[in-house]
Amino acid sequence: MDTSNTKLKLLVVDDSDIVREVLRRFFEDYSFEVVTCNNGLSGIKEAIEQKPDVIFLDIFMPNFNGIEMLKVIKTLDETKSIPVVVITANNDKINVLASVEAGAEKVIAKPLSKNNIIKALESILGKDYLTNLKLAQLEEKRVKEVEKTPEDEDSLEMKRHLVQMFLKTISYRKSDILSALEARNELMLKGLMHELRGLGTSIGYPKLTLIGEYLEGELSKDPINWRIVDEYALKSIEVLNIIREENMKE
């Protein structure tokens, strides 16, 4: 699914006000455009008019349920290619099979969790799509907040010196990050990310700063979402490898 350089539009069809609001807030955190409705008939109308990139659809709704809506939109030329994630409070084999046979790309169970929502979206949008999108948003925000000023030769020389010193520490920093992840040592990992946050600013690699800042926030939450932490911590190691490769060429 090609979603590059576009703002995604999602349609949420569920008769529960709470579920619609939870999904709206979750998706809007990624700057997705979110359209919601509370029954299958309205869902068909919105799918045709809005042409969403993904539909999240509840099975059990009064009057016109999710399976009925799914069968309709999968027969219409203008909507049949839209990926559909079915959400259900009863994920027994019969409901799952009926959803898949009707054309659902994914079926997830209630109560909804961030992990299940992310996995469902990534199965459609591609692995790391949400991670990269969040980093891009953070980087854009940082660029807007920081006033760009030309660097003099002394500043550039100091930065080059700091980079060379930093290169000597990359191997053990990567090892420490992996060890902290394996041990689920949030205090150690939080300290490592705090260091990377400051170093990214000092050596001119804002993405490293953004990852460190974001992970510090995630590691301060209770409970910690280790799936997100794992993804972003491994992303920090990727950035460290890029920094090493770029500076080894010079």
Side-chain angles (χ1 to χ4, degrees):
M1 182 178 183
D2 184 8
T3 56
S4 58
N5 301 317
T6 59
K7 182 176 181 179
L8 264 66
K9 180 185 292 184
L10 275 66
L11 171 62
V12 177
V13 186
D14 197 302
D15 61 327
S16 167
D17 295 343
I18 294 175
V19 172
R20 293 199 306 274
E21 184 61 23
V22 167
L23 288 175
R24 178 193 291 278
R25 289 185 181 183
F26 178 82
F27 295 139
E28 287 182 346
D29 188 48
Y30 289 93
S31 297
F32 294 161
E33 182 180 348
V34 184
V35 179
T36 68
C37 54
N38 61 8
N39 64 75
L41 289 176
S42 296
I44 294 170
K45 178 176 179 292
E46 294 293 348
I48 294 172
E49 294 179 355
Q50 299 291 336
K51 300 294 190 299
D53 295 286
V54 183
I55 297 173
F56 276 74
L57 174 62
D58 184 30
I59 284 185
F60 298 107
M61 295 181 291
N63 301 326
F64 204 81
N65 65 40
I67 297 295
E68 292 171 325
M69 173 184 162
L70 184 55
K71 288 178 178 178
V72 172
I73 64 175
K74 287 300 182 179
T75 60
L76 299 175
D77 289 339
E78 57 264 59
T79 57
K80 64 184 180 182
S81 63
I82 301 173
V84 177
V85 178
V86 164
I87 51 181
T88 176
N90 185 355
N91 64 334
D92 61 30
K93 290 183 179 180
I94 294 176
N95 288 324
V96 172
L97 183 60
S99 300
V100 173
E101 287 180 344
E105 275 69 24
K106 199 77 177 175
V107 181
I108 57 177
K110 294 181 180 178
L112 297 175
S113 70
K114 287 185 177 180
N115 281 348
N116 286 340
I117 297 170
I118 289 172
K119 286 179 181 178
L121 273 177
E122 286 185 341
S123 70
I124 294 168
L125 304 177
K127 188 178 183 298
D128 292 336
Y129 180 88
L130 295 180
T131 300
N132 292 331
L133 179 62
K134 179 61 72 174
L135 288 176
Q137 291 171 347
L138 290 171
E139 190 166 5
E140 182 180 359
K141 180 181 178 182
R142 178 58 61 90
V143 169
K144 290 179 180 178
E145 290 175 349
V146 178
E147 180 180 355
K148 297 294 184 180
T149 55
E151 294 181 291
D152 57 31
E153 188 57 36
D154 287 342
S155 297
L156 291 172
E157 181 60 32
M158 176 63 73
K159 184 180 292 184
R160 283 192 287 267
H161 180 66
L162 289 171
V163 169
Q164 291 306 311
M165 293 179 62
F166 179 63
L167 290 175
K168 297 177 181 179
T169 71
I170 283 180
S171 293
Y172 81 74
R173 288 184 189 280
K174 292 194 298 184
S175 177
D176 286 348
I177 291 171
L178 291 173
S179 296
L181 282 178
E182 184 177 0
R184 291 295 190 246
N185 188 332
E186 63 266 31
L187 292 178
M188 178 181 177
L189 194 56
K190 193 173 182 180
L192 291 167
M193 290 303 120
H194 183 76
E195 289 182 1
L196 291 185
R197 176 179 176 178
L199 285 166
T201 301
S202 300
I203 64 177
Y205 282 89
K207 184 164 285 189
L208 199 60
T209 300
L210 291 169
I211 294 174
E213 180 179 332
Y214 186 68
L215 272 180
E216 271 197 272
E218 288 297 321
L219 289 162
S220 298
K221 294 180 179 179
D222 185 20
I224 295 172
N225 187 329
W226 282 102
R227 184 182 181 280
I228 291 177
V229 171
D230 286 342
E231 283 192 19
Y232 281 83
L234 293 176
K235 184 68 70 174
S236 74
I237 291 177
E238 290 179 15
V239 175
L240 290 176
N241 288 333
I242 291 171
I243 293 172
R244 182 175 60 186
E245 291 173 5
E246 286 181 352
N247 288 278
M248 289 301 183
K249 295 176 183 178
E250 299 180 357

